[in-house]
Amino acid sequence: QCNVIMICDNIFPHERFPFSKKIIKSLVSKVDGFIVQSSAVEKELKSIVRKPVFKKVFHPIYDNYPKEISREQAREKIAISESKVILFFGLIRSYKGLDDLIRSINPLFDVDDDVKLLIAGECYEDKNKYYDLINNSKHKNKILWIEEFIHDNEVNIYFSAADVVVLPYKTASQSGVIPLSYHYNKPIITSDLEGLTEVVQDGQTGFIYNQSNI
């Protein structure tokens, strides 16, 4: 008989479903040890497993993606002419707060018309709510959404084009976007969620903002 080790990006799903907690408790009861990747996931684990055997190891920085290309080359591929590019990257789901980002960025466009918000990712919910926000913005020409799944061999294009990566998440246990950003030497702007802030040094590797200010 072999031991079973579970690597936990998160314990509970970001969008709950009926009987989810019961199903998850049944699953983890068959596990001998756990690897968690944030303090938030550690707390989730301890909420359903009494004295779990675990090790906390933060999400490693990726090294298997294509190399960075020049900023000019990347922006030419995406047809961006602005000199400042803000990137939102990854699958789009409600908890990631893209709607908050689209709403809150308008004042920036009011004072600086040389900024582009680049959204790169496939939508996993009703995309119309995001398109409505974009189309109703007086700065809709400053928002570019590449609404498709970004394959591994294209990831470097978007990060090479960006100056900063924004994670306006409403909830999160951790995020693979942060180590991906670090791989491409891009700073982070993130909401003040524990699973995100413990891997961002405010004022050094990025900036942390208070969610209540949105």
Side-chain angles (χ1 to χ4, degrees):
Q1 182 179 356
C2 65
N3 290 329
V4 176
I5 306 298
M6 178 181 286
I7 300 175
C8 306
D9 289 333
N10 50 284
I11 300 292
F12 300 118
H14 296 294
E15 287 97 13
R16 300 294 177 96
F17 55 87
F19 307 110
S20 59
K21 188 170 183 177
K22 185 176 182 179
I23 294 170
I24 292 164
K25 288 185 73 171
S26 175
L27 174 64
V28 299
S29 69
K30 300 173 175 61
V31 176
D32 299 293
F34 304 85
I35 295 175
V36 301
Q37 298 184 342
S38 73
S39 296
V41 178
E42 177 185 346
K43 290 175 181 176
E44 289 181 349
L45 176 63
K46 289 179 176 178
S47 74
I48 59 171
V49 178
R50 187 172 178 269
K51 296 183 178 180
V53 176
F54 74 96
K55 185 175 181 62
K56 182 167 67 175
V57 180
F58 291 116
H59 198 305
I61 295 178
Y62 295 98
D63 61 3
N64 60 327
Y65 284 93
K67 292 182 179 180
E68 188 175 8
I69 60 177
S70 74
R71 182 175 299 176
E72 294 72 25
Q73 184 182 2
R75 292 180 181 180
E76 183 178 351
K77 286 178 178 290
I78 314 173
I80 290 178
S81 59
E82 288 82 0
S83 66
K84 303 161 194 168
V85 177
I86 298 168
L87 175 64
F88 176 99
F89 184 87
L91 300 177
I92 296 166
R93 298 168 69 181
S94 181
Y95 76 90
K96 293 189 176 182
L98 178 58
D99 51 342
D100 287 342
L101 175 58
I102 295 171
R103 292 189 192 97
S104 62
I105 201 170
N106 281 304
L108 174 60
F109 293 140
D110 285 337
V111 299
D112 192 341
D113 65 357
D114 197 24
V115 178
K116 178 77 84 175
L117 171 59
L118 172 60
I119 305 165
E122 184 179 8
C123 192
Y124 270 41
E125 55 168 336
D126 180 13
K127 68 182 73 175
N128 291 323
K129 76 175 186 180
Y130 299 110
Y131 279 118
D132 286 345
L133 286 170
I134 294 169
N135 290 329
N136 290 331
S137 169
K138 62 181 178 180
H139 301 290
K140 62 182 179 181
N141 64 314
K142 294 297 178 182
I143 303 174
L144 173 60
W145 185 5
I146 310 297
E147 202 272 299
E148 61 186 42
F149 179 80
I150 308 301
H151 295 279
D152 288 357
N153 62 350
E154 299 175 316
V155 166
N156 63 329
I157 298 172
Y158 298 95
F159 281 87
S160 298
D163 295 296
V164 65
V165 181
V166 180
L167 284 75
Y169 294 7
K170 301 173 183 178
T171 62
S173 51
Q174 52 126 11
S175 175
V177 174
I178 293 177
L180 186 55
S181 301
Y182 289 163
H183 171 68
Y184 287 109
N185 295 307
K186 302 300 176 180
I188 303 293
I189 298 175
T190 181
S191 56
D192 56 349
L193 298 173
E194 181 181 33
L196 306 180
T197 59
E198 63 184 341
V199 290
V200 176
Q201 292 180 290
D202 194 25
Q204 296 183 50
T205 64
F207 299 93
I208 299 167
Y209 69 88
N210 191 323
Q211 265 192 307
S212 63
N213 293 333
I214 296 297

